[in-house]
Amino acid sequence: MKETLQNLKIPPAYDVDQLLVKEFATLKGQHYVDHAAATLYSRSQIQAVFSQLESSLLGNPHSRHQPSDATTQAIEDVRQRILEHFNTTADNYDVIFTSGATAALKLVAESFDWGGDFVGEEDDGCVSLENMKGHNDLQVQNATDSEVKAGNHIEESAKEQRDGCRNGCGGAFVYATENHTSVLGMRGPANQAGCRVYPVPTQELQQLLEGASQNSVVSLCNAEGKLANGNSSCFTEDRDASNFTARENPRRKRSVNCLFAYSGQCNFSGSKWPLSWVEKVHHGALSGILHRPPINCNTTTQGKVTHDECCDVRWFVVLDAASLVATSPLDLSSMRPDFVPVSFYKMFGYPTGLGCLLVGRRAWGCLRKEYQGGGTVLMADSRSMTLVPRTTLHERFEDGTLPFLSILAVRHGLDMLTSIPGGMKSVRDHTFHLARYTHHSLRSLRHPCGAPVALLYCPAGDYWQPDTHGSVINFNLLNADGSYVGYSQVERVASLYNIHLRTGCLCNPGACQTYLHISQHQLRRQFEAGHVCGDTHDLVDGLPTGSVRVSFGYMSTYADADQVVRMVRECFIQGTPVVDTTWMAQLSSSASHHTTTMGTSHEEINGTASQNATNRTSGGEINKTASQITTKETSDSEISGTTSLHSTNRTSGCEMNGIDEISKKVDHQVDLRTQEELLDSKELEVTDILIYPVKSCGAMQVDKWGIGEAGLKFDRGWMVVTEAGVTVTQKRKPQMVLISPHVDLQSHTLVLSHQGVADVHVPLTPPDSSSEDAEVGMCGGRVCGDRVRGQDCGDEVGSWLSQVLDIAGLRLMRQTTHRTGRLNSQTHGVLKESLSLSNESQLLVIHRPSIRRLLHNISVRGVEQELTEDDLVMRFRPNLVVDGGAAFEEDTWTHITLDTTALKVQGRCRRCQMVCVSPDTGQRTKEPLLTLATMRGPNITFGVHATSPITTHHNSAVISVGDSVTTARVNASLK
């Protein structure tokens, strides 16, 4: 039986549609596929939280009255519920509440006893909690001020072992390179403690650990009895004890702790790594790595360890479970990692800012603490360094008052997960099937010539089973010629389809650099080109700096997956797509030979194009034509012939087989002038002047207007903010465009109008704040990251805005101080001009011939309702509109002169989804962004930024419709 994509739609064990109606009404019409970043909270969960708060009297758990006792008991109940959720008990794990998984990892890194202790043969290398009270008593009786630090009596032997750690006989931190940034952050404290640091690629770990015998331990010493970095060693191999014993001084050997960190599920690729690794690492399977030079090796400063300082090496494991437990069960009764960090908002959405660290019993005595906050001590003497820490692990590490109300909310989140039929196993299966269907659908899509549409990132050996892959897929899109589509472009287009996904390196630089083949040289090159973590600089030298991630939650549906595939189909394929599912049978066949293909390369397993932009052949797939693909599964209901978002002036490696006539027309005409454009090769002139008094609201069109210090007078002088100081724009509320502002210079008022509501009037000149009778309030918001504050325009206009926009508590803020511009002039460097509340520049200039070219190509595509030239002009929200000349000649302008007023051009304007808001209806459409992207490439630019050099004499400059325009250009040959 042929495998088809529809066969992959496996119904979940629970009714997701009913769940959506009952619990997630906010998802109606939306496709949220960013659950790996944060999943969504349910309605009943939040209702239960507030019901408990309304019906309970709760107090600080550090007090000793009835509300305090009730809180303490509730916290311990939640602690027990967490242990039950992970199928373990308080005898085997303790739960330390933290602010999240990152804080849990930080706690381990800063508190882990890397150096261990001097122990006898009967000891296990770490001081147990059962023995802590004895240490505390000794501390109170015998310790002097100089001998006590942070609740631990620092004996001479402990000082010696810490010195030994720094001198090269200390522990080691080993981590999988494909790890969250927070795991990489553990390197800092480890390095500071004098430990060796070793990154290991996950594929190498797979080879080491999948073939490792539990009792096979590799000696740390070479034939000369020295470590690889040259330091002396006195280790001998003990295969029976699964640790290292001392050759000399057997009753006084040094215990050295090594820590290994890996992720249960990669937040970048979605791959799951075996929990069986935990026990193998405990038995020393990674000890051979310690032969290598560490990345923080400094042999010139490291001391040497004498032969009588012998080491007993113990391995501990950090399992980063933040991504895994969001959609999968974790059974800590069978495999017992020592440290398990968790974030609750990734599991059930609320509360945020809360997580926990589960600490296994064998590691309870391996956490040392220097800072002791409130609630963590039994006794503290303020006149000396003497204090006695609490003996219970979580009591010693939970500094200060816990966020007890948030902790109580965890119970209701766990209740929500428990209410799902089949529990976390059903969630795991459902989200896996969604991810597999999306992955296989994208991988099966081909351009008409047979070239892959998507480059999907999965490790070698991932055969798409629930135990090897989770709820995440990761990819980059490819044009037909094999070049990359920038992830920022994908993100902007996705917003038009109400798809909410994540792009970039996803706080996992190791996985990003591995799958995208970003070398250290390329990484530096990207940084020098201006790319930093979290920005939109998606392509450097044609190569991606990040990727696109789609991740599912327990409330996700196949409609979400289909919307992602539809978006790719309709917007990133030129012509009629081809669906090739032949590889699916090959994948099934390969899965049966898992053990023999473990080392197969990523390209061989997934049949995707190579990340090397200059040699992307992938087994010849990219050179196939549609006629050469012999077996396909093509459905008219699944595939629609639409044009792509890739740059149409780029030479395509595809033959034209299967490309429809509409696409041919666009390709033929995109670089040609229409007859109308040829007639427009006249002198330039200003046709429109527009100001936008209130940021994101409608335009005010004028025939002439003055230029002020920050651009056109009164342009973006006001903005709408919430009570919490959040700026409201069309991205959040597109209906703002229907508010019509008018600056009445005669009455000195700003008039706001909206159909069906009486106008509201706001004074242009604010009241004098120095007047005793004036009641001037202040409010604030943010514009492009800048924190701005201004004067509150009062309750009347605030209520008016709240009524019109249906958002409670809105305020109108008038700008009182200008911001400093950040854009560069193409020829004059940083101008540091004054800005109003506009995003980037004082003035935005667009060119009508370019509007006409765009309008023509939209009509040729025929995928949107009919648009007019003036409608497109208003969608781009310009300040100045210029006519005459050739389309897109504005890209070359460096200066613009309007009669006698000179402007400096600061570069092209990158467009976002706001250009898709209709100025007449306030509704979002897909055009003009889709067609604009085909014409303008990944940055999707249209129009140019400009600034006025006027400063002291700004009141005398006036521009008018009909002003003649002259320009200076980069290429003087353009006339």
Side-chain angles (χ1 to χ4, degrees):
M1 178 180 177
K2 282 184 181 178
E3 293 199 60
T4 65
L5 297 175
Q6 293 301 315
N7 293 150
L8 299 177
K9 289 186 173 181
I10 309 299
Y14 54 97
D15 192 336
V16 180
D17 292 332
Q18 183 181 15
L19 186 68
L20 285 173
V21 172
K22 179 184 176 183
E23 302 288 353
F24 299 99
T26 54
L27 278 176
K28 185 176 181 180
Q30 306 295 313
H31 302 278
Y32 184 86
V33 286
D34 191 22
H35 292 272
T39 197
L40 305 175
Y41 53 80
S42 65
R43 179 184 179 187
S44 62
Q45 175 187 345
I46 299 303
Q47 289 177 337
V49 171
F50 284 105
S51 176
Q52 181 179 18
L53 296 179
E54 289 176 343
S55 61
S56 304
L57 180 60
L58 303 168
N60 190 319
H62 289 169
S63 300
R64 283 296 173 264
H65 43 62
Q66 191 276 331
S68 169
D69 293 342
T71 302
T72 299
Q73 184 59 51
I75 289 174
E76 294 312 306
D77 289 345
V78 171
R79 214 184 295 268
Q80 181 60 35
R81 282 292 306 277
I82 293 169
L83 293 171
E84 291 173 358
H85 183 81
F86 296 114
N87 196 26
T88 189
T89 67
D91 291 333
N92 295 313
Y93 279 91
D94 199 359
V95 177
I96 302 173
F97 287 111
T98 65
S99 64
T102 294
L105 291 163
K106 183 172 181 283
L107 186 155
V108 175
E110 293 180 344
S111 306
F112 187 67
D113 186 9
W114 299 95
D117 294 296
F118 279 99
V119 297
E121 286 182 328
E122 70 279 5
D123 296 324
D124 64 358
C126 288
V127 179
S128 66
L129 285 177
E130 286 78 359
N131 295 328
M132 282 300 299
K133 189 176 187 304
H135 284 283
N136 294 336
D137 292 342
L138 177 67
Q139 186 174 311
V140 174
Q141 295 169 7
N142 301 323
T144 66
D145 290 355
S146 61
E147 292 174 328
V148 177
K149 184 178 181 182
N152 291 306
H153 185 191
I154 304 179
E155 302 175 13
E156 189 64 28
S157 60
K159 294 179 181 178
E160 291 176 0
Q161 64 88 9
R162 293 188 189 279
D163 291 340
C165 177
R166 294 186 182 278
N167 289 332
C169 193
F173 178 53
V174 181
Y175 63 94
T177 52
E178 295 176 31
N179 253 317
H180 196 276
T181 307
S182 299
V183 175
L184 269 61
M186 299 176 74
R187 298 177 300 183
N191 178 65
Q192 184 67 25
C195 299
R196 300 179 181 89
V197 178
Y198 299 91
V200 186
T202 308
Q203 283 193 345
E204 182 181 351
L205 286 170
Q206 198 170 17
Q207 295 170 356
L208 288 171
L209 295 173
E210 292 302 314
S213 168
Q214 291 185 0
N215 292 322
S216 176
V217 180
V218 182
S219 173
L220 294 180
C221 303
N222 57 21
E224 289 77 23
K226 294 175 180 276
L227 292 173
N229 64 3
N231 290 328
S232 299
S233 171
C234 53
F235 298 130
T236 58
E237 190 174 359
D238 180 4
R239 296 184 182 275
D240 296 326
S242 72
N243 57 25
F244 295 99
T245 57
R247 181 184 302 140
E248 300 179 28
N249 195 14
R251 300 194 60 81
R252 190 68 169 169
K253 60 178 181 289
R254 186 193 311 281
S255 173
V256 177
N257 296 329
C258 295
L259 190 65
F260 169 61
Y262 78 108
S263 176
Q265 175 179 293
C266 178
N267 73 308
F268 185 93
S269 67
S271 298
K272 293 180 179 180
W273 303 110
L275 298 181
S276 60
W277 286 7
V278 173
E279 187 174 0
K280 294 178 180 180
V281 173
H282 280 164
H283 285 82
L286 295 181
S287 295
I289 290 174
L290 304 183
H291 282 292
R292 309 173 184 176
I295 60 173
N296 62 335
C297 180
N298 186 353
T299 57
T300 61
T301 60
Q302 276 189 333
K304 291 189 176 182
V305 181
T306 59
H307 283 285
D308 61 344
E309 294 178 339
C310 301
C311 299
D312 172 23
V313 177
R314 291 170 48 83
W315 281 92
F316 295 85
V317 177
V318 176
L319 176 70
D320 180 8
S323 177
L324 176 68
V325 300
T327 53
S328 295
L330 175 61
D331 186 352
L332 293 179
S333 68
S334 56
M335 294 296 174
R336 295 183 180 176
D338 302 288
F339 306 101
V340 183
V342 171
S343 279
F344 294 121
Y345 72 92
K346 293 183 182 292
M347 297 174 64
F348 35 75
Y350 181 87
T352 59
L354 182 67
C356 72
L357 176 69
L358 290 100
V359 184
R361 185 180 185 86
R362 73 186 293 269
W364 284 356
C366 292
L367 294 179
R368 302 289 188 257
K369 196 163 184 283
E370 296 193 9
Y371 176 85
Q372 299 289 344
T376 65
V377 299
L378 294 173
M379 184 274 285
D381 187 347
S382 63
R383 297 155 298 186
S384 71
M385 294 294 292
T386 303
L387 59 79
V388 182
R390 292 187 178 272
T391 56
T392 304
L393 186 67
H394 66 259
E395 289 180 331
R396 291 171 56 218
F397 280 89
E398 291 173 346
D399 293 304
T401 300
L402 287 170
F404 54 91
L405 297 182
S406 294
I407 291 174
L408 302 189
V410 171
R411 166 192 163 194
H412 305 294
L414 293 172
D415 287 344
M416 184 65 215
L417 296 180
T418 304
S419 70
I420 298 173
M424 292 304 298
K425 183 180 183 300
S426 294
V427 173
R428 178 199 65 186
D429 293 345
H430 176 50
T431 54
F432 163 75
H433 290 138
L434 284 170
R436 182 179 63 172
Y437 169 74
T438 308
H439 172 276
H440 287 21
S441 297
L442 290 176
R443 184 179 163 184
S444 298
L445 278 178
R446 298 286 188 270
H447 290 284
C449 61
V453 173
L455 180 63
L456 294 129
Y457 301 119
C458 295
D462 190 341
Y463 296 101
W464 282 92
Q465 298 297 322
D467 61 340
T468 65
H469 206 98
S471 57
V472 176
I473 66 166
N474 197 300
F475 59 93
N476 268 312
L477 296 180
L478 301 170
N479 295 306
D481 63 356
S483 59
Y484 286 95
V485 178
Y487 61 74
S488 292
Q489 182 175 340
V490 177
E491 189 171 37
R492 277 177 280 179
V493 173
S495 68
L496 302 179
Y497 284 75
N498 292 327
I499 298 172
H500 313 292
L501 44 73
R502 179 95 175 252
T503 62
C505 266
L506 316 172
C507 294
N508 194 324
C512 188
Q513 292 155 19
T514 297
Y515 290 110
L516 274 60
H517 294 305
I518 300 174
S519 66
Q520 290 181 309
H521 171 75
Q522 288 174 314
L523 187 64
R524 288 191 297 269
R525 171 73 184 94
Q526 290 176 358
F527 182 75
E528 291 167 357
H531 169 62
V532 296
C533 292
D535 69 6
T536 58
H537 200 167
D538 49 15
L539 296 175
V540 174
D541 300 328
L543 298 177
T545 62
S547 58
V548 180
R549 183 182 72 185
V550 169
S551 55
F552 299 101
Y554 68 87
M555 71 294 292
S556 299
T557 67
Y558 286 102
D560 299 324
D562 283 332
Q563 186 77 345
V564 173
V565 178
R566 177 190 169 204
M567 180 263 296
V568 174
R569 230 173 36 224
E570 293 181 355
C571 301
F572 296 95
I573 300 177
Q574 179 180 355
T576 303
V578 173
V579 179
D580 177 14
T581 60
T582 55
W583 66 274
M584 290 170 59
Q586 298 170 359
L587 184 66
S588 299
S589 175
S590 298
S592 63
H593 299 88
H594 179 102
T595 56
T596 61
T597 59
M598 187 63 69
T600 307
S601 71
H602 170 68
E603 287 79 6
E604 292 171 325
I605 289 293
N606 285 323
T608 55
S610 166
Q611 286 91 338
N612 185 342
T614 60
N615 185 20
R616 194 177 291 108
T617 58
S618 182
E621 280 194 37
I622 213 160
N623 292 322
K624 291 182 182 180
T625 63
S627 61
Q628 290 174 308
I629 299 177
T630 57
T631 305
K632 311 175 200 55
E633 294 289 342
T634 306
S635 167
D636 291 337
S637 63
E638 293 177 347
I639 304 298
S640 60
T642 56
T643 54
S644 76
L645 277 181
H646 79 280
S647 179
T648 52
N649 63 359
R650 182 187 293 122
T651 303
S652 173
C654 293
E655 297 184 15
M656 295 298 293
N657 298 341
I659 298 180
D660 57 28
E661 293 301 316
I662 292 178
S663 299
K664 291 179 181 179
K665 289 179 181 178
V666 173
D667 288 339
H668 177 65
Q669 298 187 23
V670 70
D671 291 318
L672 301 178
R673 295 186 191 178
T674 63
Q675 289 184 345
E676 191 173 12
E677 287 172 349
L678 291 174
L679 293 175
D680 280 340
S681 296
K682 57 185 180 182
E683 291 187 0
L684 304 175
E685 69 173 9
V686 176
T687 63
D688 304 87
I689 302 172
L690 301 106
I691 64 170
Y692 307 85
V694 181
K695 183 179 179 65
S696 270
C697 290
M700 174 183 171
Q701 200 156 5
V702 296
D703 291 330
K704 63 179 181 178
W705 204 254
I707 295 181
E709 183 182 354
L712 295 177
K713 291 182 178 180
F714 301 109
D715 183 49
R716 276 94 169 186
W718 293 262
M719 71 180 186
V720 181
V721 298
T722 67
E723 287 180 316
V726 177
T727 305
V728 184
T729 68
Q730 282 188 32
K731 287 186 178 180
R732 175 182 176 186
K733 204 72 176 176
Q735 294 79 12
M736 292 183 72
V737 74
L738 302 180
I739 296 177
S740 300
H742 176 74
V743 175
D744 190 332
L745 296 177
Q746 292 184 344
S747 64
H748 297 284
T749 58
L750 169 67
V751 183
L752 301 183
S753 304
H754 188 276
Q755 186 175 4
V757 183
D759 294 350
V760 65
H761 297 253
V762 179
L764 289 181
T765 304
D768 184 1
S769 59
S770 62
S771 171
E772 294 183 358
D773 297 329
E775 294 184 3
V776 181
M778 299 296 291
C779 57
R782 286 190 179 274
V783 177
C784 289
D786 293 337
R787 180 69 179 171
V788 293
R789 290 187 61 80
Q791 291 179 331
D792 189 330
C793 295
D795 294 337
E796 181 184 3
V797 67
S799 299
W800 188 91
L801 289 167
S802 296
Q803 177 186 355
V804 168
L805 297 178
D806 194 25
I807 301 176
L810 293 182
R811 313 299 296 177
L812 183 67
M813 189 198 86
R814 184 188 187 279
Q815 185 182 24
T816 54
T817 58
H818 289 147
R819 299 150 55 223
T820 300
R822 300 177 180 176
L823 288 178
N824 294 337
S825 169
Q826 290 180 338
T827 56
H828 295 281
V830 179
L831 301 177
K832 296 183 179 179
E833 73 280 11
S834 295
L835 284 186
S836 62
L837 298 172
S838 60
N839 283 358
E840 296 180 286
S841 63
Q842 291 185 351
L843 301 165
L844 179 62
V845 183
I846 68 169
H847 197 200
R848 281 192 178 269
S850 303
I851 288 284
R852 296 186 189 109
R853 173 76 67 81
L854 174 61
L855 183 63
H856 172 76
N857 286 347
I858 291 173
S859 65
V860 170
R861 284 168 57 89
V863 295
E864 191 69 74
Q865 70 273 15
E866 184 175 352
L867 300 173
T868 66
E869 181 176 326
D870 287 337
D871 178 65
L872 279 182
V873 167
M874 299 305 292
R875 285 174 180 249
F876 286 106
R877 299 178 66 80
N879 293 114
L880 302 177
V881 184
V882 176
D883 204 353
F888 297 110
E889 72 171 58
E890 66 270 21
D891 293 345
T892 66
W893 294 347
T894 60
H895 292 79
I896 305 171
T897 302
L898 316 175
D899 281 350
T900 59
T901 302
L903 306 176
K904 292 182 180 180
V905 174
Q906 298 173 284
R908 305 179 191 181
C909 178
R910 295 184 64 172
R911 312 313 305 221
C912 67
Q913 60 269 30
M914 276 183 61
V915 301
C916 296
V917 176
S918 168
D920 297 324
T921 66
Q923 300 299 311
R924 288 192 178 100
T925 61
K926 294 183 177 64
E927 291 292 3
L929 194 64
L930 298 185
T931 299
L932 189 63
T934 68
M935 301 170 61
R936 304 292 285 168
N939 288 330
I940 315 183
T941 59
F942 195 89
V944 293
H945 293 292
T947 186
S948 168
I950 296 174
T951 54
T952 57
H953 302 291
H954 57 272
N955 290 323
S956 61
V958 176
I959 57 175
S960 304
V961 171
D963 281 351
S964 62
V965 177
T966 57
T967 63
R969 311 180 189 180
V970 173
N971 187 348
S973 64
L974 283 173
K975 302 294 184 182

